Amino acid sequence: MAHQQRPERASYDIVIVGGAIMGASVAWFLTEMSGFDGRILVIERDASYKTSSTIHTTSCMRQQFSGALNIRISQFAADFVKNLRAHMGGDPRVPELSIHNFGYMYLAQDDAAAQALRDAHQVQIAEGAATRLMTPAQIAAEYPFYQTEDIVLGSINTVDEGYWDATAVFDWWRRSGQERGVAYIENEVVAITRDGARVTSVTLKSGEEVGCGQVINASGPRALRTAQMAGLHIPVEPRKRYSWVFRAERPLAQDLPLTIDPSGVHVRENGGGTYQAGGHGADDPAVAYNDFAMDHSLWQEHIWPVLAHRIPQFEAIKVIAEWAGHYAYNTFDHNAILGPHPEVTNFLFLNGFSGHGLQQSPAMGRGLAEWIVHGEYRTLDLSPFHFDRIAQGRPLVERAII
């Protein structure tokens, strides 16, 4: 998809800083809103997206959260993906998508972790999720490849949990948005100008100053830098997450759920006898925005031993691809930060998803578009994610992060 580097206009009603899946989502949903006829500019610093969190994701969705609102958000994502063509007006060019429902398998190794699964299970069932708690014997009977001697409880849901084609959704949001008049440029915001309680313009690396009615911070792990340009602070930092794709000498005889081992290592089905694993080191600091270097010792000393212990058939495997990506990690409560700043009211947040942003992008884009156009949420009430909870020290903690 071709991108211009300079804006065609001197001002826009909506300027979105960041053109990955969150920016593309809110831009597209704005074009869906009855009564909105404003001009939208999406500014993406790297139109290849090669280091974006969107591209580095495991591309899975789940309903196994500890918070009810996060469950509802993922339920909308499942509906959106499974009915993508209908949601996009029946356009025959839009592919029909599905979810590869291999599920997520959370494994608890002690009583405290097991109780956390039970507590979350109650919330999930109340929200209509199909989560099942499993004893070690039940796990071994249904998934005999696991080593379960050190497991006390498992939790799995194979309805609307698993892999989905996020790239197709992302591509169609951008394509459809552009066809509807959304302007995408490859450039970088280097300054934001305020006049008291309002942002008035953004300055681009290429030199242009672009006037704006509202600015949306959709800059992923760089959210803090964007906020700081407006004189604001947000508790979001880049945390490095490592991924490996490997081939097993003896592939499993059935689909592997996205398994969250008690160690924090996760692994999932990838197809064709290949699997994708991920994790991070015991030390998990914030990193530089451009730090994507691999820690090769992590695989040998931590990831592979965990995989071989939990799934003995993975003692003989060969890595065929590896990369490092970034979480936009909300250090305050691991939840999204959404909506207007309480003082600079035309500066809007779409940040801090802490690793579950991809699956939340349909509901978050729709919700922020509703807020912009109508001044209220008309589907899911997303106000618990507003910035004021941070200013007031009221965390909305999500415990089921990976």
Side-chain angles (χ1 to χ4, degrees), residues 217-230:
N217 181 355
S219 45
R222 295 172 177 260
L224 173 59
R225 174 176 287 184
T226 302
Q228 287 174 328
M229 293 181 201

Side-chain angles (χ1 to χ4, degrees), residues 40-91:
I40 304 168
L41 175 67
V42 180
I43 305 164
E44 170 54 44
R45 59 184 299 275
D46 179 8
S48 75
Y49 301 98
K50 63 183 179 181
T51 61
S52 71
S53 300
T54 297
I55 298 303
H56 287 152
T57 178
T58 60
S59 198
C60 290
M61 68 169 65
R62 59 187 163 103
Q63 294 180 33
Q64 291 185 75
F65 287 94
S66 65
L69 185 51
N70 280 332
I71 297 167
R72 294 178 209 142
I73 286 168
S74 283
Q75 288 170 339
F76 175 66
D79 174 81
F80 191 87
V81 169
K82 292 188 297 183
N83 299 284
L84 180 64
R85 182 179 293 175
H87 280 291
M88 303 197 80
D91 186 338

